[in-house]
């Protein structure tokens, strides 16, 4: 398993064009050379932010976030921090992933127990793959290749066929594997979209905490302006976790996003994440609103947003594929996060995505705790399904 994020090596390069009006000189006490000497350390051009010149506020955006009201919501249950060895963490992640995909995994594995390699086996495999949400196309693709491999390699026992299927699944899923690379832009601006309840806000909270552990300063935009509770939930969470949240009382999400990008630049933060309200791809006016948010982010910073993520509930079945297509058509997604692979999720949807619309899967989630969100690895996923 690769590390949680990929970090761009600090190097003397010309940063992508930054709006001169808000470019902030390094603070007097900033020591970029010292930072550059430390491998893995991210270059920070900008100082602490308090003394940074204020960015020009967009006409429609209030300068400061309103005071939040007390709201006891949590983005995810806080877990007691306990140092765990890397091996221990990996073992427990694999066991959670396996538990999440247990249904599909046992459906598939049972087929191979003492089985003869005949048409019946292929037919049962077809049913099991379809039931796992892999969809017609990926199922056919896997089975065609499996038949060929069994013939070419003259495989005679079921265990060897299972290993061959696992290899084919890894090959199919591999193109989805891509680490999220930090440090490419200052700030790196990420926009997060998805249907209601997919896990957008929770994922943002988890990512923010993981990023902080990777020495990244984070700023959030409470772009779910539909529900006051959503905004307050994010703000209270931000206060607790020392993460600045940009929010507005009244709701133009594009203005909030713009404000957050400006503020992120002025404060010299490493990552800006823009939350958005949930919406269905069939709600065309809401999809237009998303496009507008993306456009307006681009007005705040050239080439931003650098990442456009779609969060998908892993239990959505084949509808997840429709979501990927629709959001990708509207926003040109750069990555996916697939949550809730711990419930009744069957896992095959990743194979369907790989065949139909291979948008990289940055992270998968198997629960509500911080460490339940991890980078996607094709090997681990195939191991959990066919190990
Ligand atoms: N079991 C499980 N629950 C999750 C996971 N990710 C998010 N959730 C829960 O899903 C619910 C909706 O999440 P939320 O982030 O508010 O969704 P949003 O509407 O997309 O912002 C919350 O109760 C989360 O705790 C996951 O990986 N597994
Ligand atoms: Mg939300």
């Amino acid at each position: 398993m690769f590390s949680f994020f990929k970090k761009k090596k600090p190097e003397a390069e010309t940063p992508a064009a930054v709006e001169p009006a808000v470019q902030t000189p390094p603070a007097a006490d900033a020591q970029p050379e010292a930072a550059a000497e430390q491998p893995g350390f991210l270059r920070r051009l900008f100082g602490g932010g308090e003394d940074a010149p204020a960015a020009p506020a967009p006409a429609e955006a209030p300068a400061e976030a309103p005071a939040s009201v007390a709201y006891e919501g949590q983005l995810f249950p806080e877990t007691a921090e306990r140092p765990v060895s890397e091996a221990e963490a990996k073992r427990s992640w694999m066991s959670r992933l396996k538990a999440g995909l247990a249904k599909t995994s046992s459906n598939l594995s049972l087929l191979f127990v003492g089985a003869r390699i005949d048409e019946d086996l292929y037919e049962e495999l077809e049913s099991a793959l379809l039931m796992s949400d892999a969809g017609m196309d990926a199922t056919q693709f896997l089975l065609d290749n499996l038949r060929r491999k069994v013939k070419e390699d003259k495989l005679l026992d079921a265990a060897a066929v299972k290993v061959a299927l696992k290899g084919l699944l890894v090959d199919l899923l591999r193109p989805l594997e891509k680490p999220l690379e930090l440090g490419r832009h200052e700030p790196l601006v990420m926009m997060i979209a998805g249907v209601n309840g997919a896990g957008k806000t929770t994922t943002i909270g988890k990512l923010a905490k993981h990023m902080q552990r990777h020495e990244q300063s984070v700023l959030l935009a409470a772009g779910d302006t539909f529900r006051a509770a959503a905004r307050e939930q994010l703000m209270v969470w931000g206060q607790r976790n020392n993460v600045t949240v940009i929010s507005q009382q009244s709701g133009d999400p594009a203005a909030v996003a713009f404000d957050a990008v400006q503020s992120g630049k002025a404060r010299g933060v490493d990552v800006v994440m823009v939350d958005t309200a949930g919406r269905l791809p069939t709600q065309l006016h809401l999809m237009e609103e998303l496009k507008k948010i993306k456009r307006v982010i681009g007005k705040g910073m050239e080439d931003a947003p650098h990442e456009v993520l779609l969060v998908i509930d892993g239990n959505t079945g084949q509808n997840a594929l429709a979501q990927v297509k629709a959001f990708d058509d509207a926003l040109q997604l750069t990555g996916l996060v697939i949550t809730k692979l711990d419930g009744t999720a069957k896992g095959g949807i990743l194979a369907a995505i790989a065949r139909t619309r291979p948008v990289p899967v940055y992270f998968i989630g198997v629960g509500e705790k911080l460490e339940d969100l991890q980078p996607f690895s094709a090997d681990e996923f195939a191991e959990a399904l066919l190990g």
Side-chain angles (χ1 to χ4, degrees):
M1 182 164 78
F2 37 73
S3 60
F4 205 91
F5 300 110
K6 192 170 164 202
K7 287 189 190 175
K8 190 175 192 294
K9 286 244 168 62
E11 57 193 39
E13 60 159 30
T14 319
V18 179
E19 305 238 304
V22 292
Q23 189 161 14
T24 316
D29 57 348
Q31 295 181 332
E33 308 84 353
E37 275 166 19
Q38 299 196 38
F41 226 86
L42 284 157
R43 186 170 38 106
R44 290 197 195 152
L45 286 179
F46 303 151
E50 289 320 314
D51 46 1
E60 71 272 49
E64 276 307 317
S68 70
V69 299
Y71 180 79
E72 287 308 312
Q74 289 189 350
L75 288 187
F76 52 90
E78 309 286 339
T79 43
E81 300 225 359
R82 175 174 75 88
V84 287
S85 73
E86 205 166 300
E88 190 187 338
K90 185 166 176 177
R91 253 198 319 279
S92 86
W93 161 250
M94 271 314 286
S95 66
R96 291 199 302 279
L97 183 58
K98 276 186 175 152
L101 300 175
K103 190 159 196 311
T104 299
S105 154
S106 72
N107 281 350
L108 285 170
S109 293
L110 280 175
L111 296 183
F112 291 101
V113 179
R116 287 226 314 270
I117 302 162
D118 54 13
E119 270 315 300
D120 280 354
L121 175 65
Y122 287 116
E123 253 177 48
E124 284 171 3
L125 268 177
E126 183 177 42
S127 305
L129 286 169
L130 287 173
M131 293 238 311
S132 80
D133 294 333
M136 241 357 245
D137 185 54
T139 298
Q140 220 49 60
F141 175 83
L142 286 169
L143 288 184
D144 288 350
N145 282 297
L146 186 64
R147 282 173 192 272
R148 185 171 332 123
K149 198 156 173 52
V150 166
K151 221 180 196 167
E152 278 171 11
D153 297 354
K154 301 190 173 54
L155 303 181
L156 295 174
D157 73 49
V161 178
K162 186 181 173 192
V163 171
L165 179 60
K166 186 173 153 190
L168 292 169
L169 187 61
V170 170
D171 292 345
L172 176 60
L173 297 180
R174 184 80 72 202
L176 299 183
E177 201 180 83
K178 187 181 171 197
L180 177 61
E181 193 181 338
L182 299 174
R184 291 170 290 150
H185 302 274
E186 296 194 0
L188 179 76
V189 180
M190 302 170 59
M191 173 178 169
I192 290 86
V195 304
N196 258 323
K200 295 177 293 300
T201 310
T202 321
T203 296
I204 287 173
K206 289 176 186 170
L207 283 178
K209 293 272 273 189
H210 281 295
M211 284 168 177
Q212 284 182 324
R213 288 183 177 179
H214 283 76
E215 327 286 342
Q216 300 282 288
S217 52
V218 179
L219 184 143
L220 305 182
D224 183 351
T225 51
F226 276 21
R227 296 174 301 141
R231 184 175 61 225
E232 277 134 25
Q233 178 187 15
L234 204 57
M235 289 185 64
V236 171
W237 182 87
Q239 280 162 11
R240 282 207 201 112
N241 292 282
N242 201 20
V243 172
T244 308
V245 178
I246 301 293
S247 163
Q248 282 185 24
Q249 203 95 56
S250 66
D252 177 3
V256 179
F258 183 88
D259 221 18
V261 171
Q262 295 294 48
S263 182
K265 287 200 294 189
R267 291 162 189 256
V269 304
D270 297 311
V271 182
V272 173
M273 282 191 277
V274 179
D275 195 7
T276 61
R279 66 204 71 215
L280 292 170
T282 47
Q283 295 171 303
L284 296 181
H285 61 297
L286 294 181
M287 294 304 280
E288 285 304 317
E289 184 192 69
L290 267 189
K291 291 188 204 170
K292 180 183 166 195
I293 297 172
K294 188 181 173 199
R295 269 199 314 275
V296 170
I297 289 175
K299 294 199 170 123
M301 180 178 180
E302 206 178 321
D303 296 333
H306 312 103
E307 298 286 355
V308 183
L309 305 192
L310 175 67
V311 179
I312 304 170
D313 178 335
N315 299 286
T316 322
Q318 286 288 298
N319 187 259
L321 206 51
Q323 289 176 22
V324 175
K325 284 183 193 163
F327 279 93
D328 189 34
D329 288 343
L331 298 173
Q332 294 79 52
L333 299 173
T334 61
L336 304 176
V337 178
I338 304 186
T339 62
K340 308 192 196 183
L341 290 169
D342 52 320
T344 55
K346 298 161 184 165
I349 192 64
L350 274 93
I353 290 169
R355 277 294 291 172
T356 315
R357 193 64 72 99
V359 179
V361 176
Y362 283 133
F363 304 101
I364 57 176
V366 299
E368 298 182 84
K369 295 206 290 291
L370 178 61
E371 56 285 0
D372 291 334
L373 186 77
Q374 293 289 333
F376 169 69
S377 147
D379 287 313
E380 287 177 359
F381 203 80
E383 173 69 23
L385 281 179
L386 284 159

